[in-house]
Amino acid sequence: MASQRDQVQDALLRDLEAARYAADRAFRQYDAADPENRLVTSELEARWNKALARVGEIEAKIAKHRTVAPQPIPMSASQLVALAGNLRAVWTAPSTDARLKKRIVRTLIHEVVADLDDVASEIVLVIHWVGGVHTELRLPKRCRGQRNATPDDIVEAVRQLVLIANDDVIAGVLNRNGLTTGNGNRWTRERITALRSYRRIPVFRPQIDGFEPWLNLGGAAKLLGVTPKRCAWRPRPARSKALIHCPRVHGSSAVQNSRPQKRVRSLIAPGKTRGTP
């Protein structure tokens, strides 16, 4: 807590130094101007006053920072020890974002020293923890020409999912199924976007009129007027590539008036249902 307060104070002092330099520079410009040229002098005087106001604002922030007492951590020593023993659960929790992980790393790790073991073709990492303990990790060195590409089945799954879902939903679906990137990381919206861009997969765009040509299982069941369980039923589960062809759809005014009738078919994978013209 004290180190964080020192960092904030150092940042404020740097801002104050820069503001004082800007105010001094504005004064020199005002002092060097021709007094007869009132238009220029009035503008330079306004800049000088603005710079002085900035200096006063930062000085007030520094004074307030020095008078505010640091807030105590609302946790006991036993709770902190228990949290340290359960660090893996904190790290892997879905609510732990990248910002919190960076704060954890900066708090616990002093430095990481990397070296190469050419004989074993490994990267040797020595972690210097804040408490003084050292941990050595050995990682396989990437060979020349080696690529950690995303598996083809995941790419194909993304091609199918973009028909009914945006990148956020796709990332959640892949994570819930335990699928990772080629580097073993969890999927995020940014990683799905990068994958689509590299593989030239189009982005999901909802239809303006609300009539989606591709449906998930719930949408297909609603359009057919049956239950999702009925729509997902398949007579031959042994065939992994089998498709279930449902009857043509009637009854929707939008379909009858402005759209061709659609045949809805359900993929064997549960929850993936699409309609084709």
Side-chain angles (χ1 to χ4, degrees):
M1 182 66 69
S3 61
Q4 293 179 358
R5 287 179 55 82
D6 292 340
Q7 292 176 3
V8 173
Q9 181 170 329
D10 291 342
L12 291 174
L13 290 176
R14 288 193 296 268
D15 292 343
L16 179 60
E17 183 179 358
R20 285 176 175 174
Y21 172 80
D24 185 63
R25 184 170 178 269
F27 168 73
R28 291 197 304 268
Q29 291 176 344
Y30 171 75
D31 189 58
D34 185 4
E36 299 297 332
N37 194 339
R38 296 183 178 276
L39 181 62
V40 175
T41 53
S42 60
E43 175 64 23
L44 293 176
E45 184 180 7
R47 295 182 183 179
W48 182 27
N49 291 333
K50 185 177 180 181
L52 291 175
R54 174 62 177 169
V55 172
E57 178 183 350
I58 298 177
E59 288 177 344
K61 287 184 178 180
I62 294 176
K64 181 179 179 180
H65 175 75
R66 290 174 175 173
T67 56
V68 173
Q71 296 294 331
I73 301 177
M75 295 182 67
S76 62
S78 59
Q79 290 175 327
L80 288 176
V81 173
L83 181 62
N86 202 20
L87 184 59
R88 183 181 296 274
V90 177
W91 186 270
T92 57
S95 59
T96 304
D97 55 2
R99 181 180 301 178
L100 180 56
K101 289 182 178 180
K102 290 180 180 179
R103 293 181 61 185
I104 294 175
V105 170
R106 294 191 185 104
T107 303
L108 300 180
I109 297 178
H110 175 65
E111 64 177 355
V112 178
V113 180
D115 195 5
L116 294 178
D117 188 348
D118 295 329
V119 177
S121 187
E122 293 179 336
I123 301 175
V124 183
L125 300 177
V126 179
I127 304 175
H128 295 180
W129 300 92
V130 174
V133 179
H134 295 174
T135 303
E136 180 179 301
L137 297 178
R138 287 181 171 267
L139 304 176
K141 183 180 177 182
R142 178 179 294 183
C143 301
R144 181 173 297 179
Q146 178 182 353
R147 294 181 57 199
N148 295 335
T150 303
D152 294 336
D153 55 347
I154 296 182
V155 176
E156 184 60 27
V158 173
R159 291 185 188 277
Q160 297 294 327
L161 289 173
V162 294
L163 301 174
I164 59 173
N166 56 30
D167 292 351
D168 281 324
V169 176
I170 294 175
V173 171
L174 297 181
N175 290 330
R176 284 194 296 271
N177 285 273
L179 303 176
T180 59
T181 65
N183 294 323
N185 298 320
R186 288 174 55 85
W187 287 100
T188 62
R189 180 186 60 184
E190 292 76 14
R191 287 170 179 156
I192 294 293
T193 303
L195 175 65
R196 285 194 303 95
S197 176
Y198 180 75
R199 297 285 185 166
R200 300 183 182 276
I201 301 175
V203 66
F204 170 72
R205 298 186 181 279
Q207 298 294 321
I208 299 178
D209 56 2
F211 196 95
E212 299 291 344
W214 298 87
L215 305 172
N216 58 17
L217 183 61
K222 182 179 180 180
L223 189 63
L224 293 173
V226 298
T227 63
K229 183 177 180 180
R230 176 67 177 174
C231 190
W233 175 82
R234 49 189 180 275
R236 291 174 294 181
R239 295 181 57 188
S240 61
K241 299 296 183 181
L243 294 176
I244 306 301
H245 295 273
C246 298
R248 293 181 180 271
V249 176
H250 300 277
S252 172
S253 59
V255 174
Q256 293 177 348
N257 297 333
S258 62
R259 297 280 185 177
Q261 297 175 352
K262 298 184 180 293
R263 183 191 308 170
V264 178
R265 57 184 181 178
S266 172
L267 290 171
I268 273 296
K272 296 179 181 178
T273 308
R274 59 182 183 179
T276 56

